[in-house]
Amino acid sequence: MVDKIRIKDIAQCAGVSVGTVDRVLHNRPNVSPKARIKVEKALKDMDYQPNMYASALAYNRSYNFQIIIPKHEQVAYWEEIEEGVKMAQETYRDFHVMAHIIYYERFDNASFLKAAHECLASKPDGVVVVPTGLNVTREFTDQLHQLGIPFIMLDSYLPDLKPLSFYGQDSFSSGYFAARMLMLIARDETEIMILKFTKNGHVVSKQQENREVGFRHYMHEHFPSVTIHDLELPIDQPRQFYDNMLENFFTNYPNVHQCITMGSKAHVMGTFLLRTNRRDVQIMGYDMVGRNAECLRQGSISFLIAQHAYQQGYCCVTTLFKAIVLKKKVQPVNYMPIELLSQENVDFYQRTQL
């Protein structure tokens, strides 16, 4: 058998015309059932493997992918997501793939719906969405289903909405793991603290809520006598505001030496501990963003749990590309690894792509 199978070879094997083979390969109409069976048998007998990349390039059309994520500050988890999206767009530039990012305000249904309206107005071929509340997200995803637009969920998984795929950590398992790691160094403690960043009284993501459920589940199972104190800090406040709240907390609870936050802002406490020279307190947190890494190196953060935010952004766009452009089946659920970073290995952590 020749290395490269031509349409002419397939037609000869099947006893049909070249045009019939072309219509079968591209799933076009006007092929009789008898001719289709002949072509499909020839393809199987010849072990034909189509060059999907070449076929997609031949169409010479553009693809509009829309990415809906929360507004965020710089040097944060979401910036890593954005960098991954941009790299994926660059990777598939020859296929005229464009990935446009739309922002919404967390816990603001009107803002999310406005972003959804902007997305739909652009007539997207595919969508990546970080969900907000279940009902308002469903309102948007129902429209996507009606229009036949595939979408991927990022960060928080809502399987009832039937996304094409999901990328993110298993939040419950992540929180359970975080508790186990924290208690390796805090097993003799009688009190610990959970630091929460909130907006309008709500924790800033469903993922963080689920992590806390996993965390408390482990604590209830293995350390039920340990007292857990909650400290809520409103987001978008000046440093002095946070410093005052943290100072008051440690004055009122001098026996707390180990803390954890379920999000990417462990550096807020980490830098406070360094400025005030509190060497008897540490915090554990999430995400290998720059300020967290620096506190980890200096010892005010004990551990970071990394979840490859860059990889998530890259893979969401890649999955849309595979499903829409190459017509390939994709993995429906993609859990990110739960990786533990310390002073000793933080400098070896590298962004990777699937």
Side-chain angles (χ1 to χ4, degrees):
M1 186 177 67
V2 295
D3 292 336
K4 183 176 181 181
I5 300 174
R6 302 169 300 176
I7 291 182
K8 180 180 178 180
D9 301 322
I10 300 168
Q12 186 175 2
C13 179
V16 299
S17 69
V18 169
T20 297
V21 174
D22 183 73
R23 286 193 291 275
V24 172
L25 289 175
H26 295 94
N27 199 28
R28 296 184 182 125
N30 302 321
V31 179
S32 70
K34 184 177 179 180
R36 185 178 295 277
I37 290 172
K38 287 182 178 180
V39 173
E40 289 175 347
K41 183 178 185 303
L43 293 173
K44 183 177 180 181
D45 290 345
M46 301 174 75
D47 193 25
Y48 175 74
Q49 301 294 327
N51 187 334
M52 293 182 175
Y53 281 85
S55 298
L57 280 170
Y59 279 111
N60 196 32
R61 59 157 291 189
S62 59
Y63 298 91
N64 170 25
F65 297 161
Q66 297 289 317
I67 321 296
I68 302 178
I69 66 174
K71 288 184 179 178
H72 57 86
E73 64 180 32
Q74 291 183 336
V75 197
Y77 166 78
W78 298 108
E79 267 208 344
E80 288 274 296
I81 294 282
E82 288 190 31
E83 288 184 25
V85 167
K86 292 172 183 175
M87 179 54 68
Q89 177 179 269
E90 184 63 30
T91 299
Y92 304 116
R93 179 175 295 277
D94 289 346
F95 296 87
H96 309 291
V97 168
M98 296 299 296
H100 178 249
I101 296 173
I102 304 174
Y103 303 98
Y104 70 90
E105 294 280 356
R106 275 201 182 275
F107 306 112
D108 187 332
N109 289 346
S111 177
F112 180 86
L113 291 174
K114 181 180 178 182
H117 177 77
E118 180 183 341
C119 170
L120 292 173
S122 74
K123 298 182 179 180
D125 296 291
V127 175
V128 177
V129 58
V130 176
T132 183
L134 175 61
N135 290 335
V136 70
T137 305
R138 188 193 301 275
E139 183 177 338
F140 173 50
T141 57
D142 282 351
Q143 294 180 74
L144 294 175
H145 282 302
Q146 291 168 10
L147 294 168
I149 301 171
F151 65 92
I152 294 174
M153 284 194 160
L154 175 63
D155 189 58
S156 296
Y157 187 30
L158 302 176
D160 289 349
L161 303 189
K162 297 179 173 59
L164 171 70
S165 188
F166 163 74
Y167 279 91
Q169 279 190 343
D170 181 324
S171 302
F172 179 91
S173 296
S174 177
Y176 193 93
F177 173 79
R180 185 177 180 186
M181 294 302 101
L182 179 66
M183 297 314 293
L184 289 176
I185 57 176
R187 63 174 50 254
D188 295 327
E189 302 291 334
T190 58
E191 302 174 62
I192 62 173
M193 181 256 273
I194 296 179
L195 179 63
K196 303 178 184 181
F197 289 88
T198 61
K199 184 173 183 178
N200 300 325
H202 299 280
V203 175
V204 296
S205 78
K206 186 68 175 177
Q207 185 187 60
Q208 291 181 41
E209 289 181 5
N210 291 338
R211 286 172 183 165
E212 185 177 338
V213 172
F215 182 91
R216 289 184 181 274
H217 191 77
Y218 178 89
M219 294 300 295
H220 178 73
E221 284 184 344
H222 300 280
F223 294 90
S225 62
V226 172
T227 300
I228 301 175
H229 301 287
D230 292 349
L231 176 61
E232 296 187 6
L233 299 183
I235 64 172
D236 301 327
Q237 297 298 317
R239 188 181 75 181
Q240 190 58 51
F241 178 87
Y242 292 144
D243 284 357
N244 290 340
M245 291 195 69
L246 290 168
E247 190 65 53
N248 289 337
F249 177 87
F250 288 114
T251 298
N252 293 329
Y253 300 99
N255 293 326
V256 172
H257 305 290
Q258 299 294 337
C259 312
I260 187 168
T261 183
M262 304 301 166
S264 61
K265 292 182 176 290
H267 61 83
V268 171
M269 182 183 288
T271 54
F272 165 79
L273 296 174
L274 292 172
R275 287 196 304 271
T276 56
N277 200 31
R278 291 179 180 269
R279 297 298 178 179
D280 62 336
V281 179
Q282 290 181 318
I283 186 169
M284 179 176 175
Y286 279 77
D287 300 325
M288 225 295 284
V289 296
R291 285 179 285 182
N292 281 349
E294 188 55 36
C295 289
L296 185 63
R297 293 185 184 100
Q298 295 190 51
S300 60
I301 292 179
S302 53
F303 296 116
L304 287 173
I305 294 179
Q307 54 179 329
H308 290 288
Y310 174 88
Q311 181 175 317
Q312 290 181 54
Y314 184 91
C315 289
C316 281
V317 175
T318 295
T319 298
L320 286 179
F321 172 79
K322 288 179 178 178
I324 296 169
V325 182
L326 301 184
K327 315 296 184 188
K328 287 186 175 182
K329 290 184 178 180
V330 297
Q331 184 74 20
V333 179
N334 303 272
Y335 286 126
M336 293 291 104
I338 302 171
E339 298 187 344
L340 194 68
L341 302 181
S342 65
Q343 282 180 317
E344 291 75 21
N345 69 352
V346 63
D347 291 326
F348 301 102
Y349 179 79
Q350 295 180 349
R351 299 190 297 195
T352 59
Q353 302 161 16
L354 293 178

